[in-house]
Each structure stands twice: as structure tokens, then as C-alpha cells.
Amino acid sequence: MIAIKNIDVIKSGTRLFRNFSWSVSSNENWVISGRNGSGKTVLLEALAGILHFPQGEIHYDFIAGDTWEARYEEKRRLITYVPAHALHTFLKSHHDLYYQQRYYDLGDDDVPTGRVLLGDHAENLKRFDIPESLSIERLLDIKLTRLSNGQLKKFLLLKSFLKGMPKLLLLDCPFEGLDHESREDFCQFIDFISTRHGVQVILVDHHHHLPACINRKLTLCNFQIKKSEEFFIEDRGNNAETFLPREQRISHKEIIDIRNLTLRYGDRTLFENFNLHVKKGQRLALVGRNGTGKTTLFSLIFADHPQAYAQEIYLFGKRRGSGESIWDIKRRINYLGPEQVSYLNPQSVLATAHEYVTSGNNEPDNETLQTLVEFFDASEMMTKPVRILSSGELQLLMIMTSFLSDRELLLLDEPFQFLDDIQKERLTQYLLRHLKPETTLILITHYEHDIRQWTDLKVQI
């Protein structure tokens, strides 16, 4: 039994929850839903003991310490919280790392592998009988900065179990960044620890299929309970979907020409004799399992990867290294990717969302910015400090920033992640209305819906 009694929650000086109460029975596993910024992550943080509140209390029937110190230690041992941005969580505790470091061979000698970080404790995981499908054994000898977001999320979750199996597992958008097979495995894993080890699960999610153990749903609106109800897993079946037709005008001009790409890290080969040809106006999807190199390929195109100079890569008709600067390339590309939030480190940004957008761009077009704010109904969000924005609001902020300028090539790495259903549909409609036929789009996604909606060609990585 978990009982939240009349709590107020203040985060970064802003009062969010007021006189909030909610109870969770011991046989209940919950999914928390609601619009971006409605309080889902803040509620998980309060349950995890990360946030403190001037009023009210949270009672856990599995916490029995007589002193504050004893209760604190029990919470640390019996409650596991996995935040939405796994990469950001890791970088926060390793300040010498930077988000492009995963692409470099030099200068990363101090970056630990999973095996180094876990040490002898890795063997302790075997006592939990963790399914082979979620095993991290093959990841243990890879430097942590080279793990994909999905792989790092698995690693951090299993690492947290080294202190013992928790009583309460709190997961913030756990399925974002995971490929289809990994999502299926993760559902089975959550069901496994819930039934085998009696772990109570509370997770935040918008639109994914969920573990079978989830039997209750809480919907939040503006930091208050909108609805509390029983939840049943629906059989989604093969519902037919209709998409608006879009104008196609693909020219013969090549925007990207990658020839015989070979990329190795130590004894690990990521690409070997890989070729990619993308024409102006084409819509292309990159698909594949976590860790196969999709985001790395984006880094080669967006001029972040140092090995681009050693490869035969042509962008906009010119070979990399033939005299153009990195910024000459970036000025022709709009890029949106999950690592941008890690690089931003939102907790350190004191500016409001509006101040961040306008200071990060050279005199952004005010009319375009206002159009974006109105289209995404983001007026209130733009007045908030960046440090208190939810994961979905941060994603929307990155989307709006990337759309402030009109460029030839649009690289979208999982653009719909963390967005609620309404904002996801708004992004779809914005692209339908504003994406010009001559603009080239490359999309990384794990969802067939997005592939059918936006792309002419699917490339398996």
C-alpha cells in the first residue's frame, strides 16, 4: 500500500502539485498518462523520494524505519526509479563526457565499459533468472558512450538491481528509444519481475503496448487527477489506417552519396561496405535494432563524426573534406535527435523556453516562431523555465527550435518520442502542411505507422 496524503510539490521554486492525494493498493500496477506537462514525471520523482514537499506525506507499507535516516536508506534500497533520459542520467555522473564522444576512438580511454562499471557484481544478476532476451552480457565489453539509448536504458535498469530486487519500480517512458523486439522483451521482463519477485510497477507511458501486469490507469491534468480507472490490455489487431496523400517530386539530384562505408571500433564492425544514395525530395526511413548504427549514420551526415573525412561521403554534391566547413554543412540541415536533450542538460538552464529558443538562434524569424507556438498550443510552455519542463515539453522545444529555419535536408531521429497523442498528431499535421516537396527527409523510427506515413523507402541498418 502506498498512500499520498495532501502533498504540495515545489520544483525549482515553482509550486506544482497542491494538496494532492492518491492511494495505490499492493496488488495494483499503474500506468500514468496525461498531456505533456501534466505532472507525470514529477509524481514519479515524488514517489522516488527525489523531490521534497513542504506539506503532506507519502506512506509506504514496506518502509518501516523508526528514524528519518533509516527510512531514507530503506527507500534507496527498495525503490528503483529509472528516468526518461537514460543517457542524460549517465552523463550527469560523468562530467568529463560529451555527447559526441561516442563517435571518437581517441580521447575515450577513461570511458568505462559495462563490465568495468559492474565489476564482480555482474555475476549477481544471474540469481534473478533474468530472461536471455534482456541480457546485457553482450554489451558489457562496449564503452558506455557507444551504447544506444535503448541499450543504455537496459544497462541502467539491470545495474540498479545489483543492490537487490526493489519493492517498487518507477519507470518514466521506459519504451521510448526501444526497437519493436526490445519493447516486447521489456514487457515480458516487467511481467516477469512483477509476478516472480512481487515488484510493484508504476510507469509513465503515452501510446505503447504495455505489460500484462498493468491493471490500473491514472490520468493527470494540470497536476491534478483527471481520472482513475481499471485498465485492460487491448488487442490492437490490424486496424486500417488512412493517410493524407502528399505531393511527390523527387529530382535526380543526389543530396547524400555514401560509398563503401566501413566503420570499426576496436574489433567491433558497425558498417562494412555500406552504401546509401538519397535524392532531393526523397523520404527515407532508417530502421533496425538498437545499436546497429542508425544514429551514428546521422552523425556522419550531420558532420559530427570525425571519421567522415576518412570515408567516401558526398553531401550536396561535394565530398567531405574537400574544403567545406562543418558549419557550411549544418546550415543546410535541420537535425532533431534524442542526444540534444543530453547535450542541453536542462537542469542547468535557468532561462525560460522562449529565452532559450531566441538566444540559441541568430535572430530567429519571429513570425515563424509565433506560428509554431500557436500551432502547438505552446504559449504557456514557452513561459516556463527549461529546468522544469517535462520530457515531452523538452522534446517539443527541440522540435520547434529545429523548425525555425527552412533547410534542404531534415534528419529526424525518433521525433515523436515523449509526445502525448495530441502533440504527436500536431507534429504529423505540421509536417503534412509545411514540409515542402523538395525537402529531403530521413527518419529514424521503430514504428511501422511512421514509416508508412512519411517514407518512400526503408533502409535496414
Side-chain angles (χ1 to χ4, degrees):
M1 178 73 177
I2 303 171
I4 300 178
K5 301 178 181 179
N6 307 115
I7 65 169
D8 285 5
V9 175
I10 297 176
K11 185 175 182 180
S12 299
T14 301
R15 190 177 298 271
L16 302 173
F17 284 102
R18 294 176 182 268
N19 198 33
F20 181 86
S21 297
W22 180 45
S23 62
V24 178
S25 298
S26 56
N27 62 342
E28 294 176 344
N29 296 302
W30 288 74
V31 56
I32 303 174
S33 149
R35 295 292 308 279
N36 293 139
S38 60
K40 302 181 296 296
T41 296
V42 176
L43 181 55
L44 287 190
E45 291 175 339
L47 287 167
I50 295 173
L51 298 178
H52 301 285
F53 24 88
Q55 173 182 304
E57 62 176 352
I58 301 180
H59 171 75
Y60 311 83
D61 63 0
F62 53 84
I63 303 295
D66 294 329
T67 65
W68 182 90
E69 290 80 6
R71 291 192 295 272
Y72 175 77
E73 287 302 320
E74 282 186 278
K75 288 179 184 178
R76 289 188 56 182
R77 181 168 53 86
L78 298 176
I79 300 176
T80 293
Y81 170 55
V82 181
H85 297 285
L87 181 59
H88 173 57
T89 301
F90 174 70
L91 291 178
K92 225 175 25 171
S93 59
H94 294 75
H95 300 291
D96 293 334
L97 303 181
Y98 49 95
Y99 87 112
Q100 298 104 327
Q101 189 162 359
R102 67 191 294 184
Y103 309 131
Y104 287 74
D105 275 329
L106 298 176
D108 66 350
D109 293 338
D110 295 331
V111 178
T113 63
R115 193 177 302 279
V116 170
L117 200 61
L118 296 182
D120 297 334
H121 298 294
E123 293 297 315
N124 294 339
L125 293 174
K126 294 181 179 179
R127 72 176 186 268
F128 297 126
D129 297 325
I130 295 171
E132 180 65 26
S133 59
L134 201 70
S135 171
I136 59 171
E137 182 64 33
R138 65 184 180 86
L139 307 178
L140 291 181
D141 294 315
I142 302 174
K143 292 182 183 295
L144 292 183
T145 49
R146 300 232 178 96
L147 296 179
S148 70
N149 187 52
Q151 290 172 326
L152 188 56
K153 191 174 297 186
K154 294 178 186 178
F155 176 85
L156 291 175
L157 178 60
L158 293 179
K159 177 179 177 293
S160 70
F161 289 170
L162 289 176
K163 62 184 180 182
M165 191 64 74
K167 290 290 187 181
L168 176 63
L169 178 60
L170 306 171
L171 302 172
D172 194 357
C173 298
F175 301 104
E176 300 290 2
L178 299 185
D179 58 60
H180 177 77
E181 291 83 357
S182 295
R183 293 197 306 269
E184 291 285 353
D185 291 341
F186 213 173
C187 280
Q188 294 176 20
F189 175 74
I190 294 172
D191 284 331
F192 171 83
I193 62 173
S194 176
T195 56
R196 176 73 66 88
H197 296 283
V199 176
Q200 191 164 21
V201 179
I202 302 177
L203 60 85
V204 167
D205 191 81
H206 286 300
H207 53 268
H208 299 96
H209 57 271
L210 295 172
C213 67
I214 300 297
N215 54 22
R216 298 286 294 176
K217 180 178 180 180
L218 181 75
T219 304
L220 296 179
C221 179
N222 196 26
F223 300 96
Q224 294 295 329
I225 294 176
K226 180 180 180 180
K227 185 184 292 187
S228 177
E229 58 189 326
E230 292 187 38
F231 181 82
F232 301 96
I233 302 298
E234 297 179 1
D235 183 5
R236 300 174 187 269
N238 295 316
N239 297 325
E241 298 175 273
T242 58
F243 301 117
L244 298 177
R246 63 175 180 80
E247 181 182 355
Q248 296 188 38
R249 189 169 69 211
I250 302 174
S251 72
H252 296 290
K253 180 180 178 181
E254 280 196 332
I255 294 292
I256 300 169
D257 182 11
I258 298 177
R259 305 175 186 176
N260 301 314
L261 171 66
T262 298
L263 199 58
R264 296 187 178 91
Y265 295 107
D267 58 358
R268 180 181 179 229
T269 299
L270 197 58
F271 292 99
E272 186 165 17
N273 297 324
F274 176 83
N275 295 275
L276 179 67
H277 311 286
V278 183
K279 296 183 181 298
K280 182 177 181 179
Q282 193 167 23
R283 313 291 196 246
L284 182 144
L286 298 181
V287 300
R289 295 295 305 271
N290 294 132
T292 54
K294 302 181 295 299
T295 299
T296 299
L297 193 60
F298 265 19
S299 75
L300 289 162
I301 297 169
F302 195 53
D304 277 337
H305 202 301
Q307 292 199 36
Y309 295 99
Q311 305 290 335
E312 194 171 358
I313 298 176
Y314 297 82
L315 301 175
F316 306 105
K318 297 180 65 176
R319 182 170 180 173
R320 286 298 313 277
S322 61
E324 84 291 357
S325 72
I326 288 177
W327 303 111
D328 290 333
I329 296 171
K330 290 180 181 288
R331 276 191 289 269
R332 304 177 74 173
I333 302 173
N334 274 332
Y335 168 69
L336 172 69
E339 289 178 328
Q340 290 173 318
V341 173
S342 301
Y343 182 68
L344 170 63
N345 191 9
Q347 294 301 318
S348 67
V349 180
L350 300 178
T352 65
H354 186 273
E355 291 167 343
Y356 172 79
V357 170
T358 53
S359 65
N361 292 270
N362 295 322
E363 298 182 1
D365 186 313
N366 288 328
E367 184 177 347
T368 301
L369 178 58
Q370 187 59 33
T371 297
L372 286 164
V373 170
E374 291 176 358
F375 192 91
F376 289 100
D377 192 21
S379 296
E380 182 179 351
M381 184 195 80
M382 298 298 286
T383 66
K384 296 180 181 179
V386 170
R387 64 189 305 170
I388 71 167
L389 294 182
S390 70
S391 298
E393 289 173 322
L394 284 170
Q395 180 75 358
L396 184 58
L397 181 64
M398 296 294 100
I399 289 169
M400 293 171 59
T401 302
S402 68
F403 288 170
L404 278 174
S405 55
D406 186 17
R407 300 183 180 179
E408 300 168 59
L409 175 61
L410 182 59
L411 304 177
L412 300 180
D413 190 346
E414 304 248 30
F416 297 105
Q417 67 176 355
F418 302 116
L419 297 182
D420 62 49
D421 290 341
I422 292 176
Q423 292 293 25
K424 184 174 182 179
E425 179 58 26
R426 282 178 179 153
L427 176 55
T428 296
Q429 292 302 320
Y430 188 87
L431 289 171
L432 284 170
R433 299 180 191 183
H434 295 275
L435 189 63
K436 297 179 179 179
E438 62 269 22
T439 300
T440 306
L441 168 66
I442 305 181
L443 176 73
I444 293 177
T445 182
H446 295 300
Y447 296 96
E448 285 293 331
H449 171 278
D450 300 334
I451 296 171
R452 295 195 303 272
Q453 174 85 321
W454 291 114
T455 62
D456 310 306
L457 179 64
K458 182 166 65 173
V459 175
Q460 185 79 30
I461 302 296

